[in-house]
Amino acid sequence: QQLASFTDYLLIAQDRYCVEHHHKQADGQWIKTVVTDPAGSVLIASLNCTIPLAELYEWVKFPSATK
C-alpha cells in the first residue's frame, strides 16, 4: 500500500456475492466500497474498467443453505 502506482485492489469472497474494492485517493487515503448485489458492478476508474459481479461469479457454485 506504499507504492505510488498501487491504487486499487479487490477482495472477492468465494462463498457469497461480495467484492470489496479498495481505492487510494490522491491524498493517500484509502476508500473501501463493498458490493453485494449480484446485479451490481465494481468500477476501477484507474483502469477505466467496470466489472459486473454476474461475470465475476459466472462459474461459481455457491453451497446450498442447509437447515
Side-chain angles (χ1 to χ4, degrees), residues 54-66:
E55 287 185 20
L56 265 178
Y57 287 98
E58 182 176 6
W59 298 104
V60 176
K61 302 280 190 222
F62 293 114
S64 58
T66 57

Side-chain angles (χ1 to χ4, degrees), residues 22-62:
H22 297 262
H23 171 71
K24 186 165 62 173
Q25 302 289 340
D27 65 1
Q29 294 294 314
W30 287 88
I31 303 295
K32 177 173 82 170
T33 304
V34 179
V35 182
T36 57
D37 180 357
S41 59
V42 176
L43 169 65
I44 304 174
S46 63
L47 299 176
N48 193 28
C49 176
T50 300
I51 306 170
L53 263 65
E55 287 185 20
L56 265 178
Y57 287 98
E58 182 176 6
W59 298 104
V60 176
K61 302 280 190 222
F62 293 114

